[in-house]
Amino acid sequence: MIFGLEFPPIQNLVEWPNWFGPEGSWYGFNKIAFINVIALVATTSLFFIAGRSKSLVPKGAKNLVESAVDFIRDGIVLETMGPEGIKYLPYLVSLFFFILITNIFEVIPFFHMPGNARMAGPAVLALLTWAYYIAVGIKHQGPKYFINAIAPAGVPKALLPLVIPIEFLSTFIVRPFSLAVRLFANMLAGHILLVTFSVLCITLFTASLLAIVLPLSFAMLVGLTGFEIMVAFLQAYIFTILAAVYIGSSMHAEH
Amino acid sequence: MLALVRVLAEAAATDVQQATETAAKNPILPTINEMFWAAVVFLLLWALMKFVLLPPITKLMAARADTVRGDLQAAEAAEAQRVSRLSDYEAGLAGARSEAIGIIEQARSEGDAERRVQITAADAEVATLRADAAAEIAAAKVRARAELTSSITDIAVGAAEAVVQKPIDRASQTALVEDYVSRSGSQN
Amino acid sequence: MSILAQAAAATADKATQQAIAGATNAGMAYGLAAIGPGIGIGYLVGQSVQAMARQPEAAGMVRTTMFLGIAFTEALALIGFVVFILLKFV
């Protein structure tokens, strides 16, 4: 309570009651789950519409989907993994679209909640990516993958006691943790930022004298909404490109 | 004393309850139901993407890339054909031009030769004609001189005979007259 | 009765104090966590812009690497933000 500004408790901002299923049960379906399902349906229908038309000239949804796939293939896969990474394209495209659409609900009216401002989504995606790049490493290098990963070739023997724990931590612990936390914290921060300015606008609207600064606050809110759209896109891109880098680094022993 | 203990116990219980409540309401930790739905939805999306959604898109993009490449190659081939056709045409043009030049040259040289031959023939004819005329002139001149000499000799001899009243040696007088004629001829 | 009231007042006081301490620590933690990544990202983006200006044909590669570097650098600030949330609201 500062100058009549009543900030809601954070639980009210990010936690949503179940629509069905008892609270705390493993299948309780709430707003976040609904956003995830919308992401699935939206991506599926976009790709379905795009894949249905057989004309070689893209337009509408097809144009959007094709430019996105082209962007992921040329800008992410080929840049970080090279041509042999093309077979991981489906995973990366799914990641990109899922994260982008769940993020973009941050600014969609009547939702105003990024699906990834809850730790669950990012944690699941990061764990899946973690399992995926370990699986790719084992597939490409066999059990030697773990040795190659924690003890890079060319490191002097004397440094190994120092290098092995650091590499183990950074490869198998910090990577998934930072992947999840990066996405989650960015979206949560953006969400709290938008909520802060919305609350400020509402408070100023009812304030008598301070209402003269309302336009500034509102302009800030509008600007931040645009900024958050950019952040939603950027976080999807960064998550995808980091997944690509991790998968690519598992394909060959580091040197 | 008992009351105090009870109060403390209650307070502790409330604290523990609050602590557990806040732990359950921790905004950072993932909740199991959201993780479940996220995992289900994402795995479904991945499977769909891998087997249903992405293949037609990539196939179509590859087809378009092939079409574009084919069109480019066709355009390049057409361009090469055009260039070769142009060079053929230019080569033909150059051949025709050189042929025309050759024909003109040949005609010119033939005409030159013809003209030279004709000029030579005409020159020769003129020269013979001139030589004939000169010979004729010379003959006429000789004849005229001989006639003149004999007539002058006759006149001179007649005049001298008339003066001296006796025949004069014609032969010696002829030499004199000839000398005179030739001298007068040279004076003219 | 008075003991009960005192105990309640004491717990309330304790909770308020804890909340104030938590908020202060949270602010400090996030402020400190933002310093290093702020400098780091500024330096990183500046160098990337310089590289792109020097070699515009390598701009795509530089941009990709720049985003990767930003992602790694930013992680520290975001962990600071998470610590802020933990200290402030938990």
Side-chain angles (χ1 to χ4, degrees):
Chain A
M1 195 82 174
I2 309 154
F3 300 126
L5 182 70
E6 197 158 355
F7 197 81
I10 193 160
Q11 277 78 15
N12 295 9
L13 301 182
V14 294
E15 286 178 0
W16 302 91
N18 285 350
W19 294 357
F20 62 77
E23 291 293 334
S25 66
W26 57 272
Y27 60 89
F29 190 89
N30 61 6
K31 188 169 171 178
I32 307 297
F34 183 58
I35 289 171
N36 289 346
V37 170
I38 289 179
L40 169 66
V41 171
T43 314
T44 310
S45 38
L46 257 180
F47 273 75
F48 191 70
I49 292 167
R52 204 181 44 185
S53 81
K54 297 288 177 212
S55 82
L56 281 180
V57 183
K59 61 180 184 187
K62 193 172 164 59
N63 206 347
L64 181 79
V65 167
E66 283 202 2
S67 49
V69 172
D70 211 44
F71 169 71
I72 294 167
R73 195 185 56 190
D74 292 352
I76 294 179
V77 175
L78 294 183
E79 289 251 341
T80 57
M81 290 194 271
E84 54 186 345
I86 289 289
K87 59 175 176 286
Y88 305 116
L89 192 62
Y91 181 71
L92 298 173
V93 171
S94 324
L95 264 184
F96 182 79
F97 272 91
F98 186 76
I99 296 172
L100 177 62
I101 294 177
T102 46
N103 279 354
I104 212 83
F105 275 97
E106 185 175 8
V107 295
I108 288 182
F110 307 114
F111 284 92
H112 282 306
M113 174 68 204
N116 292 318
R118 299 290 287 151
M119 193 57 177
V124 165
L125 298 179
L127 282 175
L128 269 177
T129 306
W130 178 74
Y132 197 58
Y133 73 70
I134 290 178
V136 167
I138 292 173
K139 190 184 158 201
H140 278 259
Q141 303 179 31
K144 256 179 77 67
Y145 164 66
F146 292 103
I147 298 164
N148 290 339
I150 61 174
V155 174
K157 284 258 187 307
L159 280 179
L160 279 181
L162 196 65
V163 167
I164 286 176
I166 291 174
E167 285 290 322
F168 177 79
L169 269 178
S170 77
T171 308
F172 296 112
I173 312 284
V174 173
R175 270 183 185 185
F177 180 73
S178 69
L179 260 185
V181 166
R182 179 177 302 116
L183 179 56
F184 159 71
N186 259 301
M187 295 334 285
L188 182 61
H191 184 54
I192 290 176
L193 204 60
L194 289 185
V195 167
T196 306
F197 275 90
S198 305
V199 168
L200 193 62
C201 280
I202 292 168
T203 312
L204 288 174
F205 192 71
T206 53
S208 54
L209 187 64
L210 280 172
I212 47 171
V213 294
L214 177 61
L216 299 177
S217 175
F218 188 72
M220 194 74 192
L221 181 59
V222 172
L224 281 176
T225 303
F227 177 72
E228 287 306 322
I229 293 173
M230 192 199 81
V231 168
F233 175 80
L234 202 63
Q235 288 308 313
Y237 171 67
I238 283 178
F239 197 105
T240 314
I241 199 171
L242 282 176
V245 167
Y246 294 158
I247 293 170
S249 73
S250 307
M251 276 159 47
H252 302 291
E254 282 179 35
H255 42 77
Chain B
M1 210 56 190
L2 201 68
L4 181 65
V5 168
R6 193 181 293 140
V7 165
L8 283 179
E10 276 176 6
T14 335
D15 275 359
V16 166
Q17 200 183 350
Q18 276 175 353
T20 47
E21 269 180 14
T22 47
K25 293 274 184 190
N26 189 334
I28 301 288
L29 291 179
T31 54
I32 189 76
N33 58 332
E34 286 169 5
M35 280 181 85
F36 167 71
W37 283 107
V40 166
V41 166
F42 183 74
L43 288 175
L44 196 59
L45 180 64
W46 183 12
L48 278 173
M49 190 64 82
K50 185 155 190 174
F51 296 114
V52 182
L53 299 176
L54 201 57
I57 306 284
T58 47
K59 209 182 289 170
L60 210 68
M61 283 166 76
R64 182 167 52 239
D66 282 350
T67 312
V68 169
R69 203 176 303 127
D71 285 357
L72 267 177
Q73 278 171 355
E76 273 171 12
E79 174 71 15
Q81 201 179 355
R82 189 188 68 79
V83 166
S84 72
R85 207 176 280 166
L86 187 68
S87 61
D88 279 359
Y89 168 73
E90 276 173 355
L93 201 65
R97 191 175 292 150
S98 65
E99 200 176 333
I101 289 169
I103 288 170
I104 289 168
E105 282 293 323
Q106 197 184 348
R108 188 179 290 157
S109 62
E110 276 177 3
D112 274 359
E114 182 87 358
R115 199 173 58 207
R116 214 167 289 130
V117 166
Q118 282 181 2
I119 286 170
T120 318
D123 280 354
E125 203 173 332
V126 167
T128 48
L129 285 177
R130 192 180 287 156
D132 285 357
E136 233 168 79
I137 288 165
K141 204 184 267 176
V142 166
R143 214 167 35 242
R145 185 171 287 170
E147 275 175 20
L148 187 64
T149 309
S150 69
S151 61
I152 288 174
T153 310
D154 286 350
I155 292 165
V157 170
E161 277 174 351
V163 169
V164 295
Q165 293 295 317
K166 70 170 190 180
I168 293 173
D169 183 19
R170 188 177 167 93
S172 58
Q173 298 308 313
T174 304
L176 197 64
V177 168
E178 269 184 6
D179 180 50
Y180 168 74
V181 166
S182 64
R183 234 188 307 136
S184 69
S186 66
Q187 273 172 359
N188 289 338
Chain C
M1 270 325 235
S2 67
I3 292 170
L4 197 105
Q6 271 183 3
T11 45
D13 211 36
K14 205 179 151 197
T16 318
Q17 276 180 353
Q18 263 186 347
I20 290 170
T24 315
N25 288 343
M28 292 284 279
Y30 183 63
L32 287 174
I35 294 173
I39 296 170
I41 292 176
Y43 186 72
L44 199 159
V45 175
Q47 293 290 318
S48 304
V49 169
Q50 210 171 37
M52 282 190 241
R54 280 199 187 158
Q55 252 177 317
E57 63 271 19
M61 204 186 70
V62 172
R63 194 175 299 118
T64 310
T65 318
M66 181 185 83
F67 277 123
L68 281 176
I70 288 177
F72 288 129
T73 316
E74 192 191 38
L76 298 172
L78 293 171
I79 289 169
F81 176 72
V82 170
V83 170
F84 164 79
I85 297 282
L86 284 172
L87 288 174
K88 178 78 176 67
F89 294 107
V90 178

